[in-house]
Amino acid sequence: MDKKLYGMLENISPEELESFDGIYPETRLSQRQKDKILSSAVRKAGIVMTENTENKTRKTVKKSKKIIAAILAAAIICTGGAAAYAVYSNGIENGMKMRFEDGLTDSGKQALASVTKNFDGEVLENTFEGVDFEFDGIVFDGQEGYVVLTARKSDGTAFECAEDETYTHTYGGGAVPVGEEPTHEITSCKTSVNSDGSLSILIRHTWVPDAGEYVMELDGIEKIKTPDFTSSDEEYIGLAMNALLCSPQSDGYDEQTFIDADKRYREELDKISLESYKGRLVFTYTLDEVNPMIIDSADNEFGYQITLSSFSVYVSVDSDDFAQRDDCILSVTLADGTELTPKDVNTGYSEILDDPDENKIGKIDNSCIHGNFSEPIDISQVASINVDGKVIQIQ
């Protein structure tokens, strides 16, 4: 890449070099993000930036060409979208720490970049005061979707919390297709505090993972004492119980139930809040068509239906092979021989039919096993999948 860029610049005059400061194409990146990309590209090129632009000798022209080559490289990154940008973006990496707590290797960052794009939505409403938001990007692997934001205090001071304190953010209304009525379901998640005093806010797409345009609402950031749900503290128990009430446990939960649970939850949250930022940040975003790898039950001798994405692997079978077991093996082997064992592996029933038998026990449709990877993977490099000791060859 460097040789190609320098070759492009070989015959450019010093005057022409000075005109390259507008090389960036029109993108949705903020100036801070563009500056971050350029700074990273310049550092990788081993350039020490200086304000001294006088005495344009031949030596200075060559250095200028190197700087402009870095600018061109950064511009190419911008043109390539967030798939390339995410490699350089602390915003995306910081935001996804809540999903991949063990950190990312270089290959994990590349895999994350491949399922990340620049934010392409529109802010419909923002009533927050004292907090500025930056949309870092949209992550979608065909199964899981996230919008990553960075929040900073408008006055420039840092978000800070003690070891026994936690920032949380609340998003409500549910991610629903644009034009449809939002629900009153709300979700609260831990918010990551970054070294520069900003907050990384990870909002999970809560609708079916289909391509299309959606709308989401962020409506609060709170600092609270880190909950100890083993404690008898009534405030924390109330918070936990109301959080559970906000998740539909049966078809009997109607709209009013969500509204009532929302109100109780927020009342409990207000009681224990140490620092609060309230408002409504309503925005749209688009999930592009991203297809996970599907291995149909008819395409392997074991009858397993397998869905493999960058973040997880899901297997179901028309029997009770996996359900209620904690000893199932689940792993993938890459083309280079690396074996990856997902974490948080769980088993269960993928569906309970509506026609219970005479003992009032739902009939089992499929049993399933599901595991999350400790970091994103490149699914094109998966050679085989080991499911409960049975190996399915992919390539």
Side-chain angles (χ1 to χ4, degrees), residues 171-176 181-186 206 215-217 219 266:
Y171 51 101
V176 299
E181 286 295 320
T183 69
H184 286 273
E185 182 180 1
I186 62 171
T206 56
V215 62
M216 177 65 82
E217 173 188 325
D219 58 10
R266 294 176 192 280

Side-chain angles (χ1 to χ4, degrees), residues 37-51:
I37 293 171
L38 174 58
S39 175
S40 178
V42 167
R43 287 197 309 271
K44 289 178 183 294
I47 301 169
V48 178
M49 298 297 286
T50 176
E51 295 297 325

Side-chain angles (χ1 to χ4, degrees), residues 100-144:
F100 301 104
E101 297 178 352
D102 297 335
L104 301 178
T105 63
D106 287 344
S107 62
K109 292 177 184 179
Q110 291 288 348
L112 175 60
S114 70
V115 293
T116 302
K117 71 170 187 174
N118 295 330
F119 177 72
D120 60 357
E122 178 184 1
V123 175
L124 304 178
E125 180 181 358
N126 183 6
T127 63
F128 277 89
E129 294 183 359
V131 180
D132 299 322
F133 296 96
E134 182 173 324
F135 289 83
D136 294 301
I138 300 169
V139 179
F140 181 48
D141 77 337
Q143 291 292 102
E144 297 178 39

Side-chain angles (χ1 to χ4, degrees), residues 193-237:
V193 183
N194 301 317
S195 59
D196 65 355
S198 64
L199 297 179
S200 282
I201 295 177
L202 187 64
I203 296 182
R204 181 163 185 165
H205 175 80
T206 56
W207 197 259
V208 291
D210 292 338
E213 187 179 15
Y214 295 84
V215 62
M216 177 65 82
E217 173 188 325
L218 172 72
D219 58 10
I221 300 173
E222 311 279 346
K223 182 165 73 173
I224 61 174
K225 288 287 186 181
T226 303
D228 176 9
F229 293 126
T230 63
S231 167
S232 60
D233 191 318
E234 291 183 1
E235 289 179 336
Y236 289 124
I237 291 175

Side-chain angles (χ1 to χ4, degrees), residues 15 32 36 41 120 194 202 204 245 258 267 283 314 331:
E15 291 74 19
R32 189 184 70 85
K36 184 190 298 183
D120 60 357
N194 301 317
L202 187 64
R204 181 163 185 165
L245 282 173
F258 280 118
E267 289 172 349
F283 57 90
Y314 179 90
S331 65

Side-chain angles (χ1 to χ4, degrees), residues 144-172:
E144 297 178 39
Y146 301 90
V147 180
V148 183
L149 299 87
T150 298
R152 291 180 175 81
K153 291 186 181 181
S154 302
D155 62 7
T157 59
F159 287 100
E160 295 178 322
C161 59
E163 290 185 2
D164 62 344
E165 296 172 344
T166 301
Y167 279 103
T168 67
H169 61 273
T170 301
Y171 51 101

